[in-house]
Amino acid sequence: MSASISHFSPPFSESSIASPISVFPGAANNFQLSGGSRLVLHGGAGSFCWRFRGLKLRILKRLNRWQHVPANELKGIRNQDKVLSDNPSSNDEQYSEAASTISLSNGLAEEHTRKTSQPKTSTLPPVTTFSLNLNVDDNHGRPSLCIAVIGATGELAKKKIFPALFALYYSGFLPENVGIFGYSRKDLTDEELRSLIASTLTCRIDHQRDCGDKMDAFLSRTYYLNGGYDNKEGMSKLNSRMEQIEGGYRANRIFYLSVPHEALQDVASSLGDNAQTKKGWNRIIIEKPFGFDAVSSQLFTKSLLSKYEEKQIYRIDHLLGRNLIENLTVLRFSNLVFEPLWSRTYIRNVQVILSEDLSMPRGRYFDGYGVIRDIVHSHMLQTIALLAMEPPISLDGEDIRNEKVKVLRSIRELEPSDVILGQYKATSQDKVDVSLSSRTPTFFAAALYIDNARWDGVPFMIKAGVGLIKHRLEIRIQFNSVPGNLYRERLGHNTDLTTNELILRDVPDEAILVKINNKIPGLGLHLDASELNLLYKDKYNVEVPDSYEHLLLDVIDGDNHLFLRSDELAAAWSIITPVLQWIDQDNMAPELYELGGRGPVGSYYLWAKHGVRWADD
């Protein structure tokens, strides 16, 4: 580790450094000044790195020249602190022989000598700029972070995972020395994998600088391993290859399991036994659906927890990486205009809507799993949990997940009369899967109630479907009518059309809309329901990152609030299990609807039953 200090003269002499000084408590014996004006700091790397920020601040304080330190430098130091805090076990034994050096240039040393020879009344010359450049490479160019994509030749890996990793690398969110590993059963070389994924990599439209160089650098750090058909042997080979690239230095590992769901448990178990590093943290990413039913999910969770700690497991749902979802807590807890209104006192109903048109392809597993296991179980219920949860004590992921699971456990058991299932009618001429079983729902609508003091009696209406008229993802929060409204005679009989409403839209055009009543300009008193519109594409001239980028960055940072914890997973299964049982027992059959239409007619009646105005498509 080295750091260059420029644009100032250190206000201490060689003799003063050689004497015992307490830069860090209890660390006076760790500092010596060697020949050539080199300050050598002895001690374990684990205890040194997280204290280095204190050294920087102490130097600045002694100089009495506090000036702006670039935010990216401070963020880098904080990230080092976080990495060490994730690994409480000390590495001092392994690195006890290591030494770190802070070098002062000869010019600075000569200037320092001249300054110390002058009378004490002299002062340092005016300093107009100050920079402290910290270049840390404890691994001597070896990877400090390794990311392995298991199932690297699959469509998800090629179209989503590798492009997301490159986007993070290009934007500076991955270390320059990152190691990317592709693992599958195909017989490929490193170069063949690089050629396979190169065509899917793109640079940000808003900053194309050094795109080619960055892409070449990323691909040069991408490696391939043919794991064969024995997962235990394959994971051992992966571990050996990763250790070879890491060169014996400390490195963290992330494993993304992009594999068929029937192979997931064996792959995860073999990986846990044979490929985890002991020189850093390990994290594993698992794609949805998270089991076929409550029983299979519980068994898989039990298997995972026998190999990993809960904090290592990241159950990913790409829909939760949308900006709309990440913005929910910001809107709720940072705006006084919303938080006091966020209860049954002011909110009449909440609608969560996800509809996909024919342009949205479904995974091959969709038949048999259907919309309930694929979309409702994770995305819809997690959205409701984030909307309805109590304020967490902090923004720590565990604190947020603690509040989310309380909401899920408070959701009332569903009644058959409050659920509508549908299935699109398709022919061989339609570009969709026509082999769906007669019991696989492609549409789900339901009225959920949360039995707690905040939300008692407020219907949460959810609608999720595929093969509908258009792609749409939004949350609509409708408020109660104004008691004793003085303008009720001017509003007409249909007060639903003039009810205040907050609309959070992700697709087709990301926006935040607030529906209010106002007077139409002109003579006379005529009222109109208008929308205050924050359209993101007009306000923010930036390219919106893909949801996989958001979620992968969260995994790297250890932010798990958008990933399902095991108890959240179990609570979600308890909500939808009765519906799955009704389907299996033929007590509930999907209602057919036209492909490219608006969904089953029954969903309109369900909305009317609970006094909710249907949101027009």
Side-chain angles (χ1 to χ4, degrees):
M1 173 181 290
S2 65
S4 62
I5 304 175
S6 58
H7 302 293
F8 68 91
S9 299
F12 40 77
S13 64
E14 179 173 336
S15 60
S16 69
I17 299 177
S19 62
I21 60 173
S22 181
V23 178
F24 299 129
N29 295 329
N30 290 344
F31 295 85
Q32 296 179 3
L33 190 69
S34 62
S37 299
R38 296 179 64 83
L39 178 63
V40 180
L41 296 85
H42 298 280
S47 64
F48 172 73
C49 292
W50 72 270
R51 292 180 175 178
F52 192 79
R53 177 172 59 179
L55 176 58
K56 290 178 69 176
L57 299 180
R58 185 64 178 265
I59 292 173
L60 292 172
K61 186 175 182 180
R62 287 195 173 194
L63 287 172
N64 196 21
R65 286 288 190 271
W66 282 101
Q67 294 198 15
H68 177 68
V69 178
N72 61 340
E73 292 183 9
L74 294 179
K75 182 177 180 181
I77 298 171
R78 287 197 298 269
N79 288 340
Q80 294 173 33
D81 295 344
K82 182 173 181 62
V83 169
L84 290 172
S85 67
D86 278 348
N87 298 273
S89 60
S90 173
N91 291 308
D92 287 350
E93 292 182 5
Q94 180 182 353
Y95 298 103
S96 60
E97 299 299 323
S100 302
T101 303
I102 299 178
S103 300
L104 305 177
S105 66
N106 292 334
L108 283 174
E110 293 171 3
E111 177 68 15
H112 162 66
T113 303
R114 290 194 298 269
K115 290 297 177 184
T116 54
S117 65
Q118 295 178 2
K120 293 183 179 180
T121 56
S122 65
T123 59
L124 290 171
V127 179
T128 56
T129 60
F130 171 81
S131 65
L132 182 57
N133 299 320
L134 181 64
N135 298 315
V136 179
D137 188 5
D138 284 340
N139 289 21
H140 300 277
R142 298 289 187 165
S144 58
L145 173 66
C146 290
I147 302 174
V149 181
I150 314 300
T153 56
E155 291 300 307
L156 178 63
K158 290 187 293 184
K159 294 181 178 180
K160 290 293 184 180
I161 302 175
F162 284 116
L165 289 173
F166 172 66
L168 292 175
Y169 183 81
Y170 177 71
S171 301
F173 290 104
L174 289 181
E176 287 287 338
N177 60 356
V178 68
I180 306 295
F181 295 81
Y183 176 103
S184 79
R185 293 172 175 175
K186 291 186 177 180
D187 190 13
L188 299 176
T189 63
D190 292 347
E191 286 300 326
E192 287 173 331
L193 175 66
R194 293 164 185 169
S195 299
L196 187 67
I197 65 176
S199 60
T200 66
L201 306 184
T202 57
C203 295
R204 290 271 181 249
I205 295 175
D206 49 359
H207 50 282
Q208 292 268 343
R209 184 178 177 183
D210 299 328
C211 180
D213 293 340
K214 282 285 188 179
M215 192 174 296
D216 291 341
F218 177 81
L219 291 173
S220 70
R221 307 203 67 84
T222 302
Y223 313 95
Y224 180 77
L225 179 71
N226 178 3
Y229 288 87
D230 186 332
N231 286 324
K232 292 182 180 179
E233 181 181 350
M235 292 303 167
S236 295
K237 290 163 60 178
L238 175 63
N239 181 59
S240 299
R241 184 71 188 278
M242 296 176 86
E243 286 181 340
Q244 177 189 4
I245 300 299
E246 292 164 355
Y249 291 94
R250 186 184 188 282
N252 303 312
R253 294 181 182 179
I254 294 174
F255 301 93
Y256 197 123
L257 272 56
S258 176
V259 298
H261 296 85
E262 57 270 18
L264 195 56
Q265 183 167 335
D266 184 51
V267 171
S269 179
S270 300
L271 190 155
D273 287 334
N274 300 285
Q276 295 195 77
T277 181
K278 296 180 180 179
K279 297 180 180 179
W281 49 252
N282 300 273
R283 291 169 186 161
I284 179 173
I285 303 174
I286 298 170
E287 274 280 351
K288 66 173 185 177
F290 311 116
F292 185 77
D293 52 26
V295 175
S296 62
S297 177
Q298 183 179 9
L299 291 174
F300 182 45
T301 297
K302 184 178 180 180
S303 174
L304 283 176
L305 292 177
S306 69
K307 307 295 181 181
Y308 309 92
E309 297 179 29
E310 182 70 57
K311 66 179 181 180
Q312 295 179 263
I313 303 170
Y314 288 76
R315 298 177 179 90
I316 191 172
D317 180 349
H318 71 280
L319 291 172
L320 295 176
R322 308 288 299 190
N323 188 66
L324 167 67
I325 303 301
E326 295 201 284
N327 204 21
L328 286 180
T329 53
V330 177
L331 287 174
R332 274 198 63 184
F333 303 125
S334 68
N335 293 288
L336 185 61
V337 68
F338 293 135
E339 180 56 22
L341 307 179
W342 219 259
S343 71
R344 61 188 296 271
T345 306
Y346 299 102
I347 291 180
R348 182 176 177 181
N349 61 72
V350 177
Q351 301 179 62
V352 181
I353 301 168
L354 189 155
S355 63
E356 296 183 351
D357 58 19
L358 302 181
S359 65
M360 302 299 294
R362 307 308 309 168
R364 69 172 183 83
Y365 64 85
F366 190 79
D367 185 20
Y369 284 84
V371 71
I372 300 177
R373 295 177 174 96
D374 182 41
I375 297 176
V376 176
H377 174 258
S378 175
H379 171 69
M380 304 298 279
L381 294 180
Q382 283 290 298
T383 301
I384 289 177
L386 286 167
L387 272 169
M389 70 180 184
E390 295 297 316
I393 62 175
S394 77
L395 291 178
D396 179 76
E398 292 305 318
D399 290 334
I400 294 177
R401 298 206 287 189
N402 288 340
E403 298 303 327
K404 286 195 298 175
V405 75
K406 292 177 185 177
V407 173
L408 296 175
R409 289 171 175 168
S410 299
I411 293 179
R412 186 186 306 171
E413 184 175 345
L414 282 168
E415 298 290 338
S417 60
D418 288 336
V419 176
I420 298 295
L421 301 179
Q423 187 183 69
Y424 59 63
K425 295 187 295 183
T427 66
S428 58
Q429 296 178 350
D430 297 314
K431 297 180 180 181
V432 296
D433 185 1
V434 296
S435 62
L436 293 173
S437 72
S438 59
R439 289 195 255 181
T440 302
T442 59
F443 181 97
F444 178 90
L448 302 178
Y449 285 87
I450 301 172
D451 291 331
N452 62 20
R454 181 183 287 266
W455 298 109
D456 185 34
V458 177
F460 283 75
M461 313 298 294
I462 61 176
K463 180 178 74 170
V466 300
L468 297 174
I469 190 171
K470 70 181 192 179
H471 190 198
R472 182 181 178 199
L473 178 57
E474 68 181 22
I475 300 167
R476 305 178 76 100
I477 301 165
Q478 192 176 63
F479 294 89
N480 290 321
S481 299
V482 177
N485 195 330
L486 296 175
Y487 294 95
R488 58 184 176 274
E489 294 181 358
R490 305 276 180 175
L491 295 173
H493 297 290
N494 192 353
T495 56
D496 282 343
L497 296 178
T498 55
T499 299
N500 297 136
E501 195 169 18
L502 172 64
I503 304 171
L504 310 176
R505 179 177 297 155
D506 186 80
V507 178
D509 293 314
E510 188 169 2
I512 300 174
L513 304 96
V514 180
K515 188 176 178 182
I516 63 169
N517 300 312
N518 71 297
K519 177 185 177 297
I520 299 176
L523 301 177
L525 184 60
H526 302 284
L527 304 187
D528 181 44
S530 305
E531 290 180 345
L532 304 179
N533 187 346
L534 170 61
L535 196 61
Y536 277 54
K537 66 181 181 181
D538 292 340
K539 175 66 176 178
Y540 305 107
N541 187 26
V542 295
E543 183 181 0
V544 178
D546 185 76
S547 58
Y548 279 93
E549 295 176 44
H550 280 293
L551 294 174
L552 282 169
L553 183 58
D554 284 347
V555 175
I556 295 168
D557 290 341
D559 182 356
N560 55 14
H561 81 281
L562 292 176
F563 300 84
L564 275 74
R565 199 167 61 189
S566 296
D567 54 352
E568 290 182 85
L569 188 65
W573 277 115
S574 67
I575 296 169
I576 67 170
T577 292
V579 181
L580 299 176
Q581 291 175 344
W582 300 334
I583 297 173
D584 292 339
Q585 296 167 4
D586 290 327
N587 292 330
M588 180 175 288
E591 177 185 338
L592 296 178
Y593 62 91
E594 292 292 335
L595 190 65
R598 300 178 185 274
V601 176
S603 56
Y604 289 84
Y605 291 104
L606 178 64
W607 257 239
K609 172 187 173 182
H610 293 275
V612 180
R613 179 173 59 86
W614 182 268
D616 294 332
D617 291 316

